[in-house]
Amino acid sequence: MQRFFCALLGFVSSGAACAQDPGPTFADYNHAVWTASDGAPVQVTRMAQTPDGWLWLGTPNGLYRFDGVRFYPFAAANGAHLLSPRISELAAQPDGDLYIGYEDHGLSVLHADGRLDHLAPATKDSPVHWTNDVKRDRDGTLWVATSYGLRHLQDGRWSTLGAAQGCPDKDVVIALAPDGQLWAAKHNQLFRYDRTTGRCAPTELRNANGGLPERIEGFRMSPDGRLWAGADRYLALVAAPAAGAAVPPRYLGQGSGSTAVFDRAGNLWALRCPTGVCLAGSAGKRTGDFIDLAAATTARLDQRGQLGSLAPRVVFEDREGDIWLGSPTGIERFRRNTLRPLELPAIKGDFHVAPDADGSVWVVAPQEKRGWRYDPAARRLTPLPGKYRGATVGPDGTVVLLREDGITLRRAGVETHVDLPGPMARAAWARSDGERVWLGGFDVPIQLWDGRAWTTLRALAGAEFVFSAPGNRGQMWRALADGRLVLFEGGHVRTTYDRAAQDGIGEVTSVAAEPELVVGGTDGLAVLHAGRFRRLRALRDDVLRRVTGFVVAPDGARWLNGGTGLLRVEASDWRRAVETGAPLRYALMGIRDGYTGTAAGVVSLRMVNGRLWVTTTDGIVEADLAPRDVTPPAPQPSLLAVTGDDVAYAPTQPPAIRAGTTRLRFDFTAPALCRPERVVFSYRLDGVDDAWQTGTERSATYTGLGPGHYRFRVRAMNEDGAWSGNERTLDLHIAPTLVQTVWFKLTCIGAGVLLLWLGYCLRVRYLTRTLTARLGAQLEERERIARDLHDTVLQTFQGFVLKVETILPESESGMGDALRRSLGDATYAIREGRDKITALRAIERKGPPLHEYLRMVGEQDAGPGQRFTLRCVGEARALHPIVEQELCAIGREALRNAFRHADAQQHDVIVEYGARALVLTVRDDGRGIDLDAGAKHGHWGLPGIEERARLIHADAVLRTAPGAGTTWRIDIKAALAYADGRRRMRWPRLFTSVTSAAVRWMHSAPRPPAS
């Protein structure tokens, strides 16, 4: 699905469509962009959102997830890996499963617990190749549309629906209607699957001109459950739900679209029309069977600088109603602004707003002395003649317009003109308390108009006033520079509150009298409760500073306009904070909601025809007081990482923290795509914290920890004050170090015992070496005896025999025969003596080296047609005589067995003079050895080789199989093989002093007498 309608928006219907509300424009949305510099993946082609709030991003380079703040590469909890990095489809399910399709072979499912399973293998005979759509049916079976046909997974078995079943067999796209009907499309053909017959029935789809479309690019579902097919730059109605039929949740009922989507308000968002993105307001709410894709574009972004990329690849609506775009450069989000700016002239200073009883609004720019009358129905401003200095409204609804030529009072459509008592003062202002008009200015006394004449206010004469606002009818609140707040009633002072009574809110910036007295200041907000002021607290104290506007909505919600933006506080949260002192819970609307500038210094909140006008330093924005149709779900906390003294541990299982760890860091998050900056976290470490720690940080660090068991707990709260239903917990254990355990002293005692045992072992080793030396001396003594016997007794005996042989007569007499028999016995005794002497002497073999000896054996014993090779690896070294003798015997036996019994053509011998070991290898390509032959009576070849190997402490390995030849490998360590041996490793430094002392002690011990 690489192509789609170019201009996707509008209706081919009656001309009445043009008269309908065109819907929102892009100016009504907050636009945010994340690129590679923000850590976002590039070339995003698919999107999905799982019920836990994570936004999943599929790219040709892998799978990622986004929590609204950071991007994380995918990693499965069970260690499994994706079948391919080239993601072609993501389909989220209500139970938390996420199906993952690939451009290559295979299909996977990521479960809610983080496990990754593969439903189809990544092999060339896999039933799934290039996934276009994945839909889970009502019975739990799975329908998969691929570029090679339609696949069905039921009870773990895959089946193919193709041409034999009348179904499309190439480039298939599918959709499940709310009634459970399965629809499929291929090119310009539409099919309906008949569950009874198990076949696909072709259905004709005509375009707006009555012809067949060139290509059906995909299906889209409007909020009312109608299923549309997109083709040839229009949408055609495929199916409509029956009356009263349930419609699945929007964010799970449709996935991301590579061409267009309907949002929950019925607006149609289209991509590449022909570039950028287009918007058709309320397109999904219109009647008719066709939506023209070229006629009804109400807004578009197709210029450089309007989008991060003019070639978006995918569009998606999340569960909170935000629209997301995936592009070659990253992702983008469109969030509907809560506040909508009014189209007003650019001016200096602030606007004064005074709503009239007839629905119109009087707007004045005091610094420019201009005024307008605003018609909310037509959203039109009409300039007023003359010069205006202010506009306000009294508690009885009287509009007071201050002009340079007088004051105009409007009530119930009747205007009354009042002349000024004198010249216009600097910074003049006029207020009405419902009974009289107050007129003041800079450094002039206040004048009161009671409907007949002007009088001068005598109370508090000479005091400097910094603020004034009407209260109930006949009341006026005045704030003095010295911090006092004074209530005037009937033109006289009734009540005074000093600075201390106001609980430290600073200089007064606003006063609201209904339904209770609320006073805003530069440092906070206070409410008069139970006869005294109580300062309200919030998680962020700055949101309650410099509040200049306060309104109670018809539903009881409180709206406040302050230095950080517009706040909405539910009635229950307000009462809880006022009565109990608990932190005030609120929803804050700031720059990302359409709020510009900061709260104006005048009365900055007014109710206008059921809507809220918010006056800021950058103009006026309008807020709809109607409850939101989408309530953000409670965020679900997720633990990302656990680090102890810079060592990372897996957060998915109870980790055993390394002994001695004193610092732990926990990184966590809670996916919230709409307003992640407003998510509040509470966490605690049981065993350390006595109370919850609350803030917006997404990590917690603990230092100075000791060994023991701990439990980390974290929860999250969204902007509406909804806490996550479940905490994320992690149990962990810090192991104690040696000195921290109660067994330390026992270990010390054990160490002492160990040292004594080490001394004992060294003593035994010394005695063993002494015994070895003694045996060597005995061996030398035996050799000396053997030489003496050979040179004396045996030679004398041999000479005697020779003499007897010379004088032995040749006669056949009985004596001659007896002498001959005795001479034979003597000869046998000499031979036996010679053997005994040989046994007494040390073995000193004199002959060619091992490799040369085996070469001679091989060349002599090889028969006709038998090839023999010998290879010597490394520099030849002199071998220990016994080792050389036994290896020669082993090699000779192995070669002769191969020449005689293996029926082999090739015989190889390899002698490796290695630094660490001597290796002798004898192999042939014959018929192999019957291993049972070694157990037969009279066959001693194999046991003999193994016995000789054991004698010299060598490893003998035999590898053989029928028809696979035979290989003998004899491996002996260098220290045993070579005549010069190998240097032994030194003792560790830890035991140097101990061994030295032990050796000195052993040498000082009495020596045994020499034998």
Side-chain angles (χ1 to χ4, degrees):
M1 298 190 299
Q2 301 298 320
R3 298 178 297 122
F4 193 48
F5 2 101
C6 280
L8 182 61
L9 307 160
F11 275 93
V12 175
S13 55
S14 64
C18 297
Q20 298 183 17
D21 182 7
T25 66
F26 287 110
D28 296 318
Y29 291 86
N30 175 270
H31 181 209
V33 180
W34 290 266
T35 63
S37 61
D38 304 304
V42 297
Q43 299 186 24
V44 177
T45 58
R46 301 303 292 177
M47 292 184 176
Q49 187 181 27
T50 44
D52 56 9
W54 285 101
L55 180 66
W56 294 89
L57 309 173
T59 76
N61 303 311
L63 181 63
Y64 299 82
R65 59 177 181 168
F66 183 48
D67 64 354
V69 177
R70 292 183 58 190
F71 299 86
Y72 303 90
F74 166 73
N78 58 346
H81 298 281
L82 297 173
L83 298 178
S84 167
R86 304 182 65 83
I87 308 300
S88 66
E89 172 64 359
L90 296 174
Q93 305 301 316
D95 62 356
D97 285 350
L98 177 68
Y99 291 102
I100 305 171
Y102 308 95
E103 293 182 9
D104 303 313
H105 294 88
L107 181 70
S108 305
V109 57
L110 177 64
H111 299 288
D113 58 3
R115 293 180 298 107
L116 181 67
D117 291 333
H118 303 304
L119 303 179
T123 58
K124 63 179 182 179
D125 56 350
S126 174
V128 178
H129 184 202
W130 198 300
T131 303
N132 293 331
D133 287 308
V134 178
K135 304 294 181 185
R136 182 189 285 178
D137 213 337
R138 292 174 299 180
D139 58 1
T141 62
L142 209 61
W143 296 95
V144 182
T146 75
S147 294
Y148 297 91
L150 186 61
R151 305 292 187 262
H152 189 210
L153 178 62
Q154 184 175 18
D155 298 329
R157 300 182 62 183
W158 287 97
S159 59
T160 301
L161 285 80
Q165 292 78 26
C167 298
D169 56 358
K170 189 177 182 181
D171 296 333
V172 185
V173 292
I174 59 174
L176 274 173
D179 60 359
Q181 181 64 58
L182 179 68
W183 296 86
K186 167 191 173 184
H187 300 302
N188 64 348
Q189 298 176 303
L190 181 66
F191 300 86
R192 179 180 58 82
Y193 179 70
D194 190 334
R195 297 178 184 272
T196 303
T197 62
R199 298 181 59 83
C200 295
T203 302
E204 189 175 76
L205 182 69
R206 297 285 178 176
N207 59 25
N209 298 323
L212 292 176
E214 293 182 4
R215 184 180 180 87
I216 300 174
E217 296 288 351
F219 297 95
R220 295 293 100 193
M221 188 181 296
S222 54
D224 55 7
R226 289 183 293 171
L227 185 65
W228 303 80
D232 297 347
R233 303 186 181 183
Y234 74 93
L235 292 182
L237 183 65
V238 174
V247 179
R250 290 289 301 160
Y251 79 99
L252 292 177
Q254 68 175 16
S256 56
S258 60
T259 54
V261 296
F262 288 100
D263 66 22
R264 66 192 60 204
N267 305 309
L268 188 60
W269 296 72
L271 305 182
R272 304 182 298 279
C273 49
T275 61
V277 60
C278 300
L279 177 63
S282 304
K285 296 180 179 179
R286 312 271 179 104
T287 59
D289 295 338
F290 294 96
I291 300 178
D292 189 345
L293 306 178
T297 296
T298 56
R300 69 173 68 237
L301 296 176
D302 56 1
Q303 301 299 316
R304 290 189 179 275
Q306 294 179 331
L307 289 172
S309 171
L310 292 178
R313 305 289 181 84
V314 63
V315 57
F316 174 71
E317 182 192 24
D318 67 18
R319 63 182 181 181
E320 298 176 9
D322 295 341
I323 300 298
W324 295 82
L325 303 181
S327 71
T329 60
I331 65 172
E332 306 181 40
R333 182 192 64 197
F334 289 88
R335 184 179 66 202
R336 186 70 180 267
N337 287 331
T338 307
L339 307 175
R340 183 173 184 176
L342 295 179
E343 296 182 2
L344 298 173
I347 65 164
K348 298 178 182 178
D350 300 328
F351 285 104
H352 290 191
V353 176
D356 209 337
D358 61 2
S360 62
V361 185
W362 301 87
V363 182
V364 172
Q367 289 194 23
E368 298 193 359
K369 303 178 183 180
R370 299 168 62 188
W372 299 267
R373 187 169 184 176
Y374 182 78
D375 183 358
R379 305 184 73 84
R380 183 175 63 247
L381 277 176
T382 302
L384 299 176
K387 296 183 178 181
Y388 288 78
R389 302 289 294 273
T392 185
V393 61
D396 60 345
T398 300
V399 175
V400 180
L401 300 175
L402 177 61
R403 303 170 53 173
E404 289 202 343
D405 59 355
I407 298 176
T408 299
L409 304 179
R410 286 184 53 87
R411 178 171 175 78
V414 178
E415 288 191 1
T416 302
H417 179 77
V418 179
D419 292 328
L420 297 176
M424 181 73 68
R426 286 187 302 159
W429 54 266
R431 307 277 191 271
S432 172
D433 63 12
E435 294 180 352
R436 54 190 53 78
V437 176
W438 294 57
L439 177 65
F442 180 74
D443 202 22
V444 297
I446 295 175
Q447 304 292 321
L448 303 180
W449 171 262
D450 59 4
R452 296 183 298 275
W454 290 97
T455 59
T456 301
L457 181 65
R458 302 299 179 181
L460 301 177
E464 182 182 353
F465 292 91
V466 297
F467 175 83
S468 64
N472 296 326
R473 185 178 177 86
Q475 296 181 342
M476 183 66 68
W477 288 92
R478 300 283 287 161
L480 279 62
D482 61 8
R484 287 181 292 168
L485 181 63
V486 182
L487 172 61
F488 289 84
E489 187 168 1
H492 303 282
V493 175
R494 177 182 173 183
T495 306
T496 301
Y497 299 98
D498 60 16
R499 187 187 298 272
Q502 300 167 46
D503 205 4
I505 63 172
E507 183 177 304
V508 175
T509 56
S510 65
V511 175
E514 290 291 343
E516 57 204 334
L517 182 60
V518 180
V519 181
T522 55
D523 297 329
L525 188 75
V527 179
L528 187 62
H529 177 69
R532 67 181 184 90
F533 281 103
R534 168 173 284 175
R535 183 175 176 179
L536 300 185
R537 305 290 180 179
L539 294 178
R540 287 178 50 190
D541 285 338
D542 59 331
V543 300
L544 300 180
R545 294 173 184 167
R546 218 176 65 78
V547 172
T548 61
F550 183 88
V551 167
V552 180
D555 62 357
R558 270 66 170 177
W559 292 82
L560 298 86
N561 190 26
T564 58
L566 181 65
L567 277 69
R568 176 189 171 98
V569 181
E570 300 298 333
S572 58
D573 294 331
W574 180 265
R575 293 256 57 88
R576 183 175 64 91
V578 171
E579 295 174 359
T580 68
L584 187 67
R585 297 193 301 192
Y586 54 86
L588 174 64
M589 282 152 273
I591 187 172
R592 296 184 179 180
D593 303 283
Y595 193 100
T596 58
T598 186
V602 299
V603 178
S604 59
L605 288 184
R606 295 290 191 188
M607 292 291 297
V608 178
N609 299 325
R611 303 178 73 85
L612 188 65
W613 281 30
V614 185
T615 306
T616 74
T617 55
D618 193 43
I620 298 177
V621 293
E622 188 180 46
D624 190 353
L625 299 183
R628 288 177 295 177
D629 57 351
V630 178
T631 300
Q636 301 302 314
S638 177
L639 192 57
L640 301 175
V642 178
T643 307
D645 288 350
D646 299 326
V647 178
Y649 300 92
T652 56
Q653 58 186 5
I657 307 301
R658 189 176 59 181
T661 298
T662 60
R663 181 178 181 273
L664 286 178
R665 174 188 170 95
F666 301 90
D667 293 298
F668 46 84
T669 188
L673 304 181
C674 186
R675 295 174 176 84
E677 69 279 0
R678 298 180 185 174
V679 175
V680 176
F681 296 91
S682 282
Y683 59 87
R684 63 182 298 170
L685 185 63
D686 290 347
V688 176
D689 292 326
D690 296 327
W692 290 91
Q693 311 297 314
T694 302
T696 58
E697 296 81 8
R698 296 175 182 248
S699 66
T701 301
Y702 293 87
T703 59
L705 300 176
H709 295 276
Y710 299 91
R711 167 174 287 188
F712 181 73
R713 303 159 59 188
V714 61
R715 57 185 182 179
M717 180 183 70
N718 64 10
E719 59 182 298
D720 289 340
W723 286 97
S724 51
N726 298 318
E727 300 174 359
R728 178 66 170 91
T729 62
L730 180 68
D731 294 315
L732 45 90
H733 174 71
I734 299 179
T737 60
L738 179 64
V739 297
Q740 292 173 327
T741 63
V742 296
W743 304 99
F744 178 67
K745 293 183 179 180
L746 294 178
T747 304
C748 292
I749 296 175
V753 174
L754 179 62
L755 290 175
L756 292 176
W757 175 80
L758 179 61
Y760 169 77
C761 291
L762 292 175
R763 176 70 175 175
V764 171
R765 182 176 180 180
Y766 169 76
L767 295 176
T768 302
R769 288 181 176 178
T770 303
L771 180 61
T772 303
R774 185 181 302 170
L775 290 176
Q778 292 178 355
L779 182 60
E780 292 177 357
E781 180 67 15
R782 292 177 59 184
E783 291 178 348
R784 184 187 63 79
I785 295 173
R787 286 194 301 271
D788 291 343
L789 289 175
H790 179 271
D791 295 341
T792 56
V793 176
L794 194 60
Q795 292 297 335
T796 303
F797 202 14
Q798 179 69 29
F800 174 76
V801 170
L802 291 175
K803 290 180 180 180
V804 171
E805 287 179 346
T806 55
I807 64 175
L808 182 68
E810 297 293 331
S811 64
E812 299 293 334
S813 65
M815 180 177 291
D817 293 336
L819 288 174
R820 291 188 185 95
R821 285 194 298 271
S822 299
L823 190 60
D825 292 339
T827 302
Y828 177 78
I830 292 173
R831 186 166 56 251
E832 185 177 15
R834 199 177 275 121
D835 291 339
K836 296 297 183 179
I837 292 174
T838 302
L840 286 173
R841 293 183 60 84
I843 299 174
E844 294 182 2
R845 181 181 178 275
K846 299 186 180 297
L850 172 65
H851 58 279
E852 293 297 336
Y853 175 79
L854 294 179
R855 188 189 303 277
M856 291 188 302
V857 172
E859 292 174 351
Q860 292 175 2
D861 293 352
Q866 293 179 333
R867 295 188 299 274
F868 168 79
T869 63
L870 184 141
R871 183 160 56 96
C872 184
V873 180
E875 183 181 355
R877 297 173 60 179
L879 304 182
H880 192 284
I882 296 178
V883 172
E884 190 171 28
Q885 175 182 325
E886 297 301 330
L887 289 179
C888 288
I890 291 173
R892 182 181 64 247
E893 180 67 18
L895 278 174
R896 290 177 176 175
N897 285 340
F899 287 138
R900 296 173 184 174
H901 309 297
D903 291 338
Q905 296 181 353
Q906 182 66 38
H907 303 76
D908 301 311
V909 175
I910 302 173
V911 181
E912 298 179 49
Y913 292 93
R916 296 185 176 181
L918 173 69
V919 181
L920 170 63
T921 303
V922 182
R923 64 190 181 195
D924 63 71
D925 60 354
R927 63 186 179 183
I929 298 177
D930 182 5
L931 295 179
D932 293 333
K936 295 180 180 179
H937 181 70
H939 293 267
W940 304 105
L942 299 185
I945 291 177
E946 294 174 350
E947 289 172 359
R948 290 180 181 275
R950 285 196 300 270
L951 179 64
I952 58 177
H953 300 284
D955 294 326
V957 179
L958 172 64
R959 291 191 294 269
T960 185
T966 301
T967 299
W968 275 103
R969 178 184 172 91
I970 312 299
D971 193 320
I972 181 171
K973 295 181 179 179
L976 299 176
Y978 300 130
D980 56 349
R982 187 181 62 174
R983 181 179 244 180
R984 298 181 178 272
M985 295 181 62
R986 297 180 178 178
W987 283 85
R989 295 182 178 180
L990 178 64
F991 297 101
T992 300
S993 59
V994 177
T995 53
S996 299
V999 169
R1000 288 194 299 269
W1001 170 71
M1002 287 184 290
H1003 281 283
S1004 63
R1007 295 178 178 270
S1011 59

